[in-house]
Amino acid sequence: MAMSNSIFSFLLFLCPSLLIMARADLPGTWEVVVANAGIASMHTAVTRFNTVVLLDRTNIGPSRKMLRKGHCRNDPYDPVLKHDCYAHSVLLDLHTFQIRPLTILTDTWCSSGQFLPDGTLLQSGGDLDGVRKFRKFTPCKFTELCDWEELQNMELSQGRWYATNQILPDGSVIIVGGRAANSVEFFPPRHGGAVHFPFLAEAEDNQMDNLYPYLHLLPNGNLFIFANNKAVLYDFNKNFLVRDIPLLEGGPRNYPSAGSSVMLPLEGDFSTAVIVICGGAEYGAYIQKSVDTPAHGSCGRIVATRPDSVWEMEDMPFGRIMGDMVMLPTGEVLIINGAQAGTQGFEMGSNPCLYPVLYRPDQPLGLRFMTLNPGSVPRMYHSTANLLPDGRVLIAGSNPHYFYKFAAEFPTELRIEAFSPEYLAADKANIRPVLVESPETIRYGEGFDVFVTVLLPVVGVVEVNLASAPFATHSFSQGQRLVKMGVTSALPESDGRYRIGCTAPPDGRVAPPGWYMVFAVNQGVPSVARWVQLFS
């Protein structure tokens, strides 16, 4: 069992060489995959073409990447550059790790996003001239040209800054909250525009801890919405609160006191959904600008689909704010990035938490956390983490300053790293499956086959799991989801492949329509994913 944060820190104080030993002995490996991305990514999303969209704000002055010739942005209201020829969004190719600039016209500071069923990335809101904007990025191969499109014929009914998006069973998107926006609305826009949502006002305090609310679409069709320390189940079709969830102890958990949250894998008969929320800042750290106030290390776990549910509490090895919770293809959760003191906001965090933690949901209470090999790059305010199709986790961003600042204790970070969980270790190579064939499209409820190869004979059942591509920003991955499909035993074919019979998710409540990474998982080791489109 991982030792507590206090014990671990005390041992390091007595014996600094323990840190060197710990780095060598703890699971997971790190590598820098891009030495200079040109921008610090505040928002990150992986596309079905195995490219990554990285996005920052527009009003920060010069980045370290120039736009293509003829694509400069002219904005008389920009406080820094009226004529701006610097990129504030880039596209990363996961095959070559090359970068090319993208053009974004309106401010995307603290905006929200979600992939649509056709694979288009919808981006909404922001600050200043972007506060009511919709934008689309229709991805393409890296060798082709695709770029951001600002929608001219529709806009948000209410300005959205620090809002959260979630794709719904019918493929539309709900947009919840934002500063001074205690309401919800939809894309495509529904008649009537924004709908007042009193819960967000009830969750607001004097440091606005109801921002970037956590949204999880439950398999019964309701939304689990968490803000500050409160949660409700919400019927978005009827604009009806189904029920209140008990308060989560341990202080505020949303922006600016950010912890993070995931919904654990949906599996079996898909009737049960479990939500986990970890970390957060001490209340008052934000309004007092207290960079040294220790972060919380507590986690709450609740069965959101059970009417009498209560929070089950446990502690992480480290207190953590601004951490990212990434659902791995195995169903375990990687908790990475962040700090051990302070709060979200410019210049307001300290003591970076370099140690990732693995959360193993199937283990007993008290044995679920494993401390992993630490990184060396502080990832503070405005950093992100995204699952990649090869099973690694892409780590980007970190800019705890209002503008780009490289001569600082925690400088603006332009490097991009990849963290490899233990399942990618060399000694797992013989049992790592290769997903050699899978359908490009699947329909709800239908049966289909995938084919895998593996060096050693398959023992037991190979899982086939669908992982969404979320929009990661501000310690929460909007739309993140893992669905374990029903499978039969692996049947060997005459050509050495294994045929895995699968059943697609039953409907859009379990897995909304769209593009997913499909992983084969053999004895806890995932294949490289293939992309599949799920639809009705």
Side-chain angles (χ1 to χ4, degrees), residues 138-176:
T138 302
C140 62
K141 296 178 181 178
F142 190 77
T143 54
E144 301 171 347
L145 284 181
C146 43
D147 212 333
W148 285 102
E149 173 193 2
E150 306 262 343
L151 300 192
Q152 303 300 324
N153 59 346
M154 65 176 66
E155 63 180 14
L156 289 155
S157 298
Q158 190 170 4
R160 304 280 172 186
W161 195 22
Y162 303 90
T164 305
N165 295 5
Q166 170 65 53
I167 188 169
L168 299 176
D170 64 356
S172 64
V173 173
I174 189 170
I175 306 159
V176 179

mmCIF file of all heavy atoms in Angstrom, residues 138-176:
data_model
loop_
_atom_site.group_PDB
_atom_site.id
_atom_site.type_symbol
_atom_site.label_atom_id
_atom_site.label_comp_id
_atom_site.label_asym_id
_atom_site.label_seq_id
_atom_site.Cartn_x
_atom_site.Cartn_y
_atom_site.Cartn_z
ATOM 1 N N THR A 138 -12.936 20.815 -37.777
ATOM 2 C CA THR A 138 -13.210 19.544 -38.454
ATOM 3 C C THR A 138 -11.874 18.904 -38.770
ATOM 4 O O THR A 138 -11.155 19.365 -39.669
ATOM 5 C CB THR A 138 -14.021 19.770 -39.737
ATOM 6 O OG1 THR A 138 -15.236 20.442 -39.403
ATOM 7 C CG2 THR A 138 -14.351 18.446 -40.401
ATOM 8 N N PRO A 139 -11.498 17.854 -38.042
ATOM 9 C CA PRO A 139 -10.135 17.326 -38.174
ATOM 10 C C PRO A 139 -9.893 16.658 -39.523
ATOM 11 O O PRO A 139 -10.823 16.220 -40.209
ATOM 12 C CB PRO A 139 -10.037 16.315 -37.024
ATOM 13 C CG PRO A 139 -11.435 15.938 -36.711
ATOM 14 C CD PRO A 139 -12.276 17.126 -37.024
ATOM 15 N N CYS A 140 -8.627 16.587 -39.880
ATOM 16 C CA CYS A 140 -8.203 15.954 -41.119
ATOM 17 C C CYS A 140 -6.847 15.311 -40.875
ATOM 18 O O CYS A 140 -6.271 15.434 -39.785
ATOM 19 C CB CYS A 140 -8.113 16.981 -42.247
ATOM 20 S SG CYS A 140 -6.903 18.299 -41.939
ATOM 21 N N LYS A 141 -6.323 14.620 -41.884
ATOM 22 C CA LYS A 141 -4.974 14.088 -41.780
ATOM 23 C C LYS A 141 -3.989 15.247 -41.655
ATOM 24 O O LYS A 141 -4.218 16.342 -42.170
ATOM 25 C CB LYS A 141 -4.644 13.238 -42.999
ATOM 26 C CG LYS A 141 -5.516 11.994 -43.144
ATOM 27 C CD LYS A 141 -5.168 11.231 -44.410
ATOM 28 C CE LYS A 141 -6.060 10.010 -44.567
ATOM 29 N NZ LYS A 141 -5.773 9.267 -45.832
ATOM 30 N N PHE A 142 -2.878 14.996 -40.993
ATOM 31 C CA PHE A 142 -1.919 16.070 -40.754
ATOM 32 C C PHE A 142 -1.372 16.629 -42.056
ATOM 33 O O PHE A 142 -0.995 17.801 -42.130
ATOM 34 C CB PHE A 142 -0.775 15.565 -39.873
ATOM 35 C CG PHE A 142 0.136 16.654 -39.378
ATOM 36 C CD1 PHE A 142 -0.249 17.480 -38.345
ATOM 37 C CD2 PHE A 142 1.382 16.863 -39.971
ATOM 38 C CE1 PHE A 142 0.585 18.498 -37.896
ATOM 39 C CE2 PHE A 142 2.215 17.866 -39.526
ATOM 40 C CZ PHE A 142 1.824 18.682 -38.483
ATOM 41 N N THR A 143 -1.305 15.803 -43.097
ATOM 42 C CA THR A 143 -0.786 16.245 -44.392
ATOM 43 C C THR A 143 -1.779 17.105 -45.155
ATOM 44 O O THR A 143 -1.431 17.686 -46.190
ATOM 45 C CB THR A 143 -0.406 15.026 -45.241
ATOM 46 O OG1 THR A 143 -1.529 14.133 -45.322
ATOM 47 C CG2 THR A 143 0.781 14.287 -44.623
ATOM 48 N N GLU A 144 -3.027 17.166 -44.677
ATOM 49 C CA GLU A 144 -4.036 18.008 -45.294
ATOM 50 C C GLU A 144 -4.192 19.297 -44.489
ATOM 51 O O GLU A 144 -3.618 19.437 -43.396
ATOM 52 C CB GLU A 144 -5.369 17.249 -45.369
ATOM 53 C CG GLU A 144 -5.280 15.960 -46.162
ATOM 54 C CD GLU A 144 -6.540 15.112 -46.057
ATOM 55 O OE1 GLU A 144 -7.378 15.400 -45.173
ATOM 56 O OE2 GLU A 144 -6.667 14.162 -46.831
ATOM 57 N N LEU A 145 -4.952 20.224 -45.010
ATOM 58 C CA LEU A 145 -5.152 21.496 -44.324
ATOM 59 C C LEU A 145 -6.566 21.562 -43.745
ATOM 60 O O LEU A 145 -7.552 21.448 -44.476
ATOM 61 C CB LEU A 145 -4.926 22.677 -45.269
ATOM 62 C CG LEU A 145 -3.469 23.001 -45.603
ATOM 63 C CD1 LEU A 145 -3.409 24.209 -46.534
ATOM 64 C CD2 LEU A 145 -2.649 23.261 -44.345
ATOM 65 N N CYS A 146 -6.652 21.726 -42.452
ATOM 66 C CA CYS A 146 -7.923 22.002 -41.786
ATOM 67 C C CYS A 146 -7.642 23.019 -40.700
ATOM 68 O O CYS A 146 -6.532 23.073 -40.168
ATOM 69 C CB CYS A 146 -8.549 20.723 -41.211
ATOM 70 S SG CYS A 146 -7.413 19.602 -40.357
ATOM 71 N N ASP A 147 -8.635 23.826 -40.366
ATOM 72 C CA ASP A 147 -8.381 24.921 -39.427
ATOM 73 C C ASP A 147 -9.675 25.249 -38.692
ATOM 74 O O ASP A 147 -10.751 24.722 -38.990
ATOM 75 C CB ASP A 147 -7.873 26.148 -40.179
ATOM 76 C CG ASP A 147 -6.903 26.978 -39.338
ATOM 77 O OD1 ASP A 147 -7.008 26.931 -38.088
ATOM 78 O OD2 ASP A 147 -6.056 27.676 -39.921
ATOM 79 N N TRP A 148 -9.555 26.139 -37.720
ATOM 80 C CA TRP A 148 -10.706 26.560 -36.936
ATOM 81 C C TRP A 148 -11.673 27.374 -37.793
ATOM 82 O O TRP A 148 -11.257 28.160 -38.646
ATOM 83 C CB TRP A 148 -10.266 27.404 -35.747
ATOM 84 C CG TRP A 148 -9.656 26.600 -34.642
ATOM 85 C CD1 TRP A 148 -8.324 26.469 -34.353
ATOM 86 C CD2 TRP A 148 -10.356 25.808 -33.673
ATOM 87 N NE1 TRP A 148 -8.155 25.635 -33.272
ATOM 88 C CE2 TRP A 148 -9.382 25.221 -32.828
ATOM 89 C CE3 TRP A 148 -11.697 25.540 -33.440
ATOM 90 C CZ2 TRP A 148 -9.713 24.385 -31.762
ATOM 91 C CZ3 TRP A 148 -12.043 24.709 -32.392
ATOM 92 C CH2 TRP A 148 -11.059 24.140 -31.564
ATOM 93 N N GLU A 149 -12.956 27.173 -37.531
ATOM 94 C CA GLU A 149 -14.017 27.931 -38.191
ATOM 95 C C GLU A 149 -14.865 28.600 -37.116
ATOM 96 O O GLU A 149 -15.368 27.934 -36.210
ATOM 97 C CB GLU A 149 -14.896 27.007 -39.037
ATOM 98 C CG GLU A 149 -16.122 27.675 -39.626
ATOM 99 C CD GLU A 149 -17.131 26.683 -40.179
ATOM 100 O OE1 GLU A 149 -16.893 25.461 -40.076
ATOM 101 O OE2 GLU A 149 -18.173 27.142 -40.687
ATOM 102 N N GLU A 150 -15.008 29.916 -37.203
ATOM 103 C CA GLU A 150 -15.870 30.654 -36.287
ATOM 104 C C GLU A 150 -17.283 30.671 -36.878
ATOM 105 O O GLU A 150 -17.485 31.130 -38.011
ATOM 106 C CB GLU A 150 -15.370 32.089 -36.108
ATOM 107 C CG GLU A 150 -13.905 32.184 -35.693
ATOM 108 C CD GLU A 150 -13.735 32.370 -34.201
ATOM 109 O OE1 GLU A 150 -14.718 32.737 -33.521
ATOM 110 O OE2 GLU A 150 -12.605 32.156 -33.711
ATOM 111 N N LEU A 151 -18.255 30.139 -36.142
ATOM 112 C CA LEU A 151 -19.612 30.087 -36.668
ATOM 113 C C LEU A 151 -20.212 31.492 -36.678
ATOM 114 O O LEU A 151 -20.186 32.201 -35.668
ATOM 115 C CB LEU A 151 -20.474 29.146 -35.835
ATOM 116 C CG LEU A 151 -20.011 27.682 -35.764
ATOM 117 C CD1 LEU A 151 -21.110 26.810 -35.162
ATOM 118 C CD2 LEU A 151 -19.596 27.139 -37.123
ATOM 119 N N GLN A 152 -20.765 31.860 -37.818
ATOM 120 C CA GLN A 152 -21.305 33.204 -37.996
ATOM 121 C C GLN A 152 -22.818 33.256 -37.834
ATOM 122 O O GLN A 152 -23.377 34.307 -37.563
ATOM 123 C CB GLN A 152 -20.919 33.732 -39.387
ATOM 124 C CG GLN A 152 -19.427 33.751 -39.649
ATOM 125 C CD GLN A 152 -18.654 34.626 -38.680
ATOM 126 O OE1 GLN A 152 -19.138 35.686 -38.265
ATOM 127 N NE2 GLN A 152 -17.453 34.193 -38.291
ATOM 128 N N ASN A 153 -23.478 32.100 -37.984
ATOM 129 C CA ASN A 153 -24.946 32.112 -38.019
ATOM 130 C C ASN A 153 -25.584 31.696 -36.705
ATOM 131 O O ASN A 153 -26.805 31.567 -36.619
ATOM 132 C CB ASN A 153 -25.447 31.201 -39.142
ATOM 133 C CG ASN A 153 -24.972 29.768 -38.976
ATOM 134 O OD1 ASN A 153 -24.080 29.505 -38.178
ATOM 135 N ND2 ASN A 153 -25.557 28.857 -39.731
ATOM 136 N N MET A 154 -24.793 31.434 -35.689
ATOM 137 C CA MET A 154 -25.366 31.120 -34.376
ATOM 138 C C MET A 154 -24.355 31.457 -33.294
ATOM 139 O O MET A 154 -23.141 31.484 -33.534
ATOM 140 C CB MET A 154 -25.778 29.647 -34.285
ATOM 141 C CG MET A 154 -24.646 28.646 -34.362
ATOM 142 S SD MET A 154 -25.216 26.933 -34.139
ATOM 143 C CE MET A 154 -26.209 26.693 -35.597
ATOM 144 N N GLU A 155 -24.868 31.725 -32.104
ATOM 145 C CA GLU A 155 -24.009 32.013 -30.969
ATOM 146 C C GLU A 155 -24.707 31.559 -29.696
ATOM 147 O O GLU A 155 -25.888 31.196 -29.690
ATOM 148 C CB GLU A 155 -23.672 33.497 -30.890
ATOM 149 C CG GLU A 155 -24.858 34.401 -30.681
ATOM 150 C CD GLU A 155 -24.477 35.876 -30.606
ATOM 151 O OE1 GLU A 155 -23.348 36.242 -30.979
ATOM 152 O OE2 GLU A 155 -25.335 36.656 -30.152
ATOM 153 N N LEU A 156 -23.955 31.541 -28.601
ATOM 154 C CA LEU A 156 -24.521 31.190 -27.310
ATOM 155 C C LEU A 156 -25.575 32.206 -26.888
ATOM 156 O O LEU A 156 -25.442 33.403 -27.144
ATOM 157 C CB LEU A 156 -23.414 31.137 -26.259
ATOM 158 C CG LEU A 156 -22.438 29.955 -26.364
ATOM 159 C CD1 LEU A 156 -21.094 30.307 -25.736
ATOM 160 C CD2 LEU A 156 -23.022 28.727 -25.697
ATOM 161 N N SER A 157 -26.621 31.716 -26.235
ATOM 162 C CA SER A 157 -27.665 32.615 -25.740
ATOM 163 C C SER A 157 -27.159 33.473 -24.593
ATOM 164 O O SER A 157 -27.628 34.593 -24.385
ATOM 165 C CB SER A 157 -28.879 31.803 -25.273
ATOM 166 O OG SER A 157 -29.437 31.092 -26.338
ATOM 167 N N GLN A 158 -26.221 32.923 -23.831
ATOM 168 C CA GLN A 158 -25.651 33.635 -22.694
ATOM 169 C C GLN A 158 -24.142 33.469 -22.743
ATOM 170 O O GLN A 158 -23.639 32.417 -23.140
ATOM 171 C CB GLN A 158 -26.217 33.085 -21.386
ATOM 172 C CG GLN A 158 -25.874 33.918 -20.159
ATOM 173 C CD GLN A 158 -26.655 33.480 -18.930
ATOM 174 O OE1 GLN A 158 -27.402 32.516 -18.955
ATOM 175 N NE2 GLN A 158 -26.495 34.209 -17.840
ATOM 176 N N GLY A 159 -23.415 34.498 -22.357
ATOM 177 C CA GLY A 159 -21.966 34.386 -22.343
ATOM 178 C C GLY A 159 -21.507 33.268 -21.422
ATOM 179 O O GLY A 159 -22.031 33.114 -20.319
ATOM 180 N N ARG A 160 -20.531 32.481 -21.889
ATOM 181 C CA ARG A 160 -20.041 31.330 -21.121
ATOM 182 C C ARG A 160 -18.532 31.433 -20.941
ATOM 183 O O ARG A 160 -17.761 31.330 -21.890
ATOM 184 C CB ARG A 160 -20.368 30.024 -21.851
ATOM 185 C CG ARG A 160 -21.842 29.828 -22.170
ATOM 186 C CD ARG A 160 -22.621 29.334 -20.986
ATOM 187 N NE ARG A 160 -24.064 29.348 -21.279
ATOM 188 C CZ ARG A 160 -24.994 29.086 -20.389
ATOM 189 N NH1 ARG A 160 -24.662 28.779 -19.145
ATOM 190 N NH2 ARG A 160 -26.264 29.131 -20.723
ATOM 191 N N TRP A 161 -18.117 31.646 -19.705
ATOM 192 C CA TRP A 161 -16.702 31.683 -19.324
ATOM 193 C C TRP A 161 -16.571 30.713 -18.144
ATOM 194 O O TRP A 161 -17.240 30.888 -17.133
ATOM 195 C CB TRP A 161 -16.322 33.118 -18.939
ATOM 196 C CG TRP A 161 -14.868 33.408 -18.856
ATOM 197 C CD1 TRP A 161 -13.843 32.752 -19.445
ATOM 198 C CD2 TRP A 161 -14.272 34.494 -18.123
ATOM 199 N NE1 TRP A 161 -12.641 33.332 -19.145
ATOM 200 C CE2 TRP A 161 -12.871 34.411 -18.335
ATOM 201 C CE3 TRP A 161 -14.769 35.511 -17.315
ATOM 202 C CZ2 TRP A 161 -11.966 35.307 -17.768
ATOM 203 C CZ3 TRP A 161 -13.873 36.416 -16.757
ATOM 204 C CH2 TRP A 161 -12.488 36.313 -16.976
ATOM 205 N N TYR A 162 -15.754 29.660 -18.286
ATOM 206 C CA TYR A 162 -15.614 28.581 -17.294
ATOM 207 C C TYR A 162 -16.855 27.671 -17.262
ATOM 208 O O TYR A 162 -17.320 27.280 -16.190
ATOM 209 C CB TYR A 162 -15.370 29.130 -15.883
ATOM 210 C CG TYR A 162 -14.180 30.035 -15.713
ATOM 211 C CD1 TYR A 162 -14.298 31.412 -15.877
ATOM 212 C CD2 TYR A 162 -12.933 29.518 -15.369
ATOM 213 C CE1 TYR A 162 -13.211 32.255 -15.709
ATOM 214 C CE2 TYR A 162 -11.840 30.357 -15.197
ATOM 215 C CZ TYR A 162 -11.983 31.721 -15.369
ATOM 216 O OH TYR A 162 -10.916 32.552 -15.202
ATOM 217 N N ALA A 163 -17.375 27.337 -18.419
ATOM 218 C CA ALA A 163 -18.512 26.419 -18.516
ATOM 219 C C ALA A 163 -18.013 25.005 -18.816
ATOM 220 O O ALA A 163 -16.825 24.780 -19.079
ATOM 221 C CB ALA A 163 -19.480 26.882 -19.594
ATOM 222 N N THR A 164 -18.933 24.039 -18.810
ATOM 223 C CA THR A 164 -18.608 22.641 -19.103
ATOM 224 C C THR A 164 -19.593 22.098 -20.135
ATOM 225 O O THR A 164 -20.793 22.378 -20.061
ATOM 226 C CB THR A 164 -18.672 21.778 -17.835
ATOM 227 O OG1 THR A 164 -17.824 22.352 -16.832
ATOM 228 C CG2 THR A 164 -18.198 20.351 -18.107
ATOM 229 N N ASN A 165 -19.076 21.301 -21.076
ATOM 230 C CA ASN A 165 -19.888 20.695 -22.123
ATOM 231 C C ASN A 165 -19.977 19.183 -21.931
ATOM 232 O O ASN A 165 -19.027 18.559 -21.433
ATOM 233 C CB ASN A 165 -19.292 20.970 -23.506
ATOM 234 C CG ASN A 165 -19.310 22.442 -23.881
ATOM 235 O OD1 ASN A 165 -19.676 23.291 -23.087
ATOM 236 N ND2 ASN A 165 -18.900 22.738 -25.099
ATOM 237 N N GLN A 166 -21.086 18.594 -22.360
ATOM 238 C CA GLN A 166 -21.258 17.137 -22.341
ATOM 239 C C GLN A 166 -22.131 16.734 -23.512
ATOM 240 O O GLN A 166 -23.243 17.249 -23.681
ATOM 241 C CB GLN A 166 -21.907 16.678 -21.030
ATOM 242 C CG GLN A 166 -22.355 15.228 -21.005
ATOM 243 C CD GLN A 166 -21.213 14.236 -21.098
ATOM 244 O OE1 GLN A 166 -20.263 14.298 -20.329
ATOM 245 N NE2 GLN A 166 -21.307 13.308 -22.038
ATOM 246 N N ILE A 167 -21.660 15.790 -24.337
ATOM 247 C CA ILE A 167 -22.470 15.266 -25.416
ATOM 248 C C ILE A 167 -23.576 14.397 -24.827
ATOM 249 O O ILE A 167 -23.386 13.699 -23.829
ATOM 250 C CB ILE A 167 -21.626 14.489 -26.447
ATOM 251 C CG1 ILE A 167 -22.473 14.137 -27.663
ATOM 252 C CG2 ILE A 167 -20.952 13.284 -25.832
ATOM 253 C CD1 ILE A 167 -21.680 13.610 -28.844
ATOM 254 N N LEU A 168 -24.761 14.452 -25.454
ATOM 255 C CA LEU A 168 -25.962 13.790 -24.956
ATOM 256 C C LEU A 168 -26.325 12.592 -25.837
ATOM 257 O O LEU A 168 -25.756 12.412 -26.912
ATOM 258 C CB LEU A 168 -27.108 14.799 -24.902
ATOM 259 C CG LEU A 168 -26.860 16.001 -23.966
ATOM 260 C CD1 LEU A 168 -28.009 16.995 -24.069
ATOM 261 C CD2 LEU A 168 -26.640 15.552 -22.522
ATOM 262 N N PRO A 169 -27.274 11.760 -25.409
ATOM 263 C CA PRO A 169 -27.589 10.548 -26.164
ATOM 264 C C PRO A 169 -28.013 10.780 -27.607
ATOM 265 O O PRO A 169 -27.812 9.905 -28.460
ATOM 266 C CB PRO A 169 -28.738 9.926 -25.351
ATOM 267 C CG PRO A 169 -28.489 10.376 -23.954
ATOM 268 C CD PRO A 169 -27.963 11.770 -24.095
ATOM 269 N N ASP A 170 -28.592 11.933 -27.911
ATOM 270 C CA ASP A 170 -29.026 12.195 -29.283
ATOM 271 C C ASP A 170 -27.954 12.888 -30.119
ATOM 272 O O ASP A 170 -28.197 13.258 -31.269
ATOM 273 C CB ASP A 170 -30.314 13.021 -29.294
ATOM 274 C CG ASP A 170 -30.130 14.420 -28.705
ATOM 275 O OD1 ASP A 170 -29.012 14.738 -28.216
ATOM 276 O OD2 ASP A 170 -31.104 15.204 -28.715
ATOM 277 N N GLY A 171 -26.760 13.080 -29.542
ATOM 278 C CA GLY A 171 -25.678 13.726 -30.264
ATOM 279 C C GLY A 171 -25.615 15.228 -30.111
ATOM 280 O O GLY A 171 -24.668 15.861 -30.594
ATOM 281 N N SER A 172 -26.602 15.831 -29.467
ATOM 282 C CA SER A 172 -26.519 17.255 -29.157
ATOM 283 C C SER A 172 -25.603 17.443 -27.942
ATOM 284 O O SER A 172 -25.176 16.474 -27.312
ATOM 285 C CB SER A 172 -27.909 17.831 -28.888
ATOM 286 O OG SER A 172 -28.484 17.245 -27.731
ATOM 287 N N VAL A 173 -25.311 18.682 -27.621
ATOM 288 C CA VAL A 173 -24.387 19.002 -26.529
ATOM 289 C C VAL A 173 -25.079 19.938 -25.551
ATOM 290 O O VAL A 173 -25.709 20.919 -25.965
ATOM 291 C CB VAL A 173 -23.095 19.649 -27.070
ATOM 292 C CG1 VAL A 173 -22.200 20.140 -25.927
ATOM 293 C CG2 VAL A 173 -22.325 18.653 -27.947
ATOM 294 N N ILE A 174 -24.961 19.623 -24.263
ATOM 295 C CA ILE A 174 -25.427 20.545 -23.236
ATOM 296 C C ILE A 174 -24.232 21.342 -22.728
ATOM 297 O O ILE A 174 -23.118 20.816 -22.591
ATOM 298 C CB ILE A 174 -26.142 19.807 -22.081
ATOM 299 C CG1 ILE A 174 -26.821 20.818 -21.146
ATOM 300 C CG2 ILE A 174 -25.196 18.891 -21.322
ATOM 301 C CD1 ILE A 174 -27.750 20.169 -20.120
ATOM 302 N N ILE A 175 -24.446 22.630 -22.489
ATOM 303 C CA ILE A 175 -23.417 23.552 -22.013
ATOM 304 C C ILE A 175 -23.909 24.110 -20.691
ATOM 305 O O ILE A 175 -24.979 24.735 -20.633
ATOM 306 C CB ILE A 175 -23.166 24.675 -23.028
ATOM 307 C CG1 ILE A 175 -22.847 24.063 -24.411
ATOM 308 C CG2 ILE A 175 -22.042 25.592 -22.572
ATOM 309 C CD1 ILE A 175 -23.068 24.996 -25.552
ATOM 310 N N VAL A 176 -23.160 23.878 -19.627
ATOM 311 C CA VAL A 176 -23.632 24.149 -18.272
ATOM 312 C C VAL A 176 -22.745 25.180 -17.589
ATOM 313 O O VAL A 176 -21.529 25.013 -17.500
ATOM 314 C CB VAL A 176 -23.668 22.855 -17.431
ATOM 315 C CG1 VAL A 176 -24.132 23.149 -16.009
ATOM 316 C CG2 VAL A 176 -24.577 21.816 -18.088
#
